[in-house]
Amino acid sequence: MKTNKPENGSAAAETEQPGARNAGPGRLLVAVYAVFALSSTARAVFQIATKFDQAPVAYLLSAFAAVVYIVATVGLAKSGSGSYKVSVAAVGIEMVGVLAVGIFGLVDPAALPDDTVWSGFGAGYGYVPLILPVLGLWWLYRHRADAAVCP
């Protein structure tokens, strides 16, 4: 009977399979996305509830970012091809959002009178919102279904 275990029998080699994107360092990635999902949701809820009339576009962008982080967290945490596709879409939207809002804020600072999670390319969060989708897309690329197991 043939098993799916690697020839050298190491358990570490098993976790390096492409489908194991939510194991090992992938768990840290899921945890960081979860923290951003919680923090951006709390920020958006507070902003919308207390001062929506001051900067509605900025606060709606914060709410949109929160939804993107929630979807990315769930997609990264689950296994399967459907979750993989959701993850790629969410992290891709995050990357486009961070770049678009960052550039938009540079071109027309008055359009966003209050910060969002993605303002200034995530400057208010130590630029983690700019780095996170790059790491996320790289991780997803390395753990795609057709990826070969790396030594």
Side-chain angles (χ1 to χ4, degrees):
M1 180 165 99
K2 185 176 179 178
T3 64
N4 289 335
K5 290 186 178 183
E7 289 182 29
N8 65 4
S10 73
E14 286 184 39
T15 61
E16 293 295 322
Q17 293 178 359
R21 68 181 178 277
N22 56 0
R27 288 183 185 173
L28 178 60
L29 189 63
V30 171
V32 173
Y33 267 97
V35 167
F36 269 82
L38 288 171
S39 66
S40 60
T41 300
R43 178 183 188 148
V45 167
F46 176 78
Q47 289 173 326
I48 290 170
T50 62
K51 49 187 181 177
F52 183 73
D53 58 331
Q54 294 175 11
V57 173
Y59 303 147
L60 289 174
L61 279 171
S62 287
F64 178 73
V67 170
V68 170
Y69 284 121
I70 291 168
V71 171
T73 301
V74 172
L76 287 165
K78 291 182 149 194
S79 298
S81 65
S83 294
Y84 176 81
K85 291 173 185 174
V86 167
S87 299
V88 170
V91 176
I93 289 169
E94 175 196 5
M95 183 83 234
V96 170
V98 170
L99 293 174
V101 172
I103 291 169
F104 185 64
L106 290 175
V107 172
D108 188 7
L112 297 174
D114 203 358
D115 285 343
T116 71
V117 176
W118 295 339
S119 293
F121 303 101
Y125 289 84
Y127 296 101
V128 174
L130 180 62
I131 297 165
L132 193 58
V134 173
L135 292 175
L137 289 171
W138 172 79
W139 183 258
L140 288 165
Y141 177 76
R142 296 268 303 166
H143 292 83
R144 66 195 186 282
D146 64 345
V149 177
C150 299

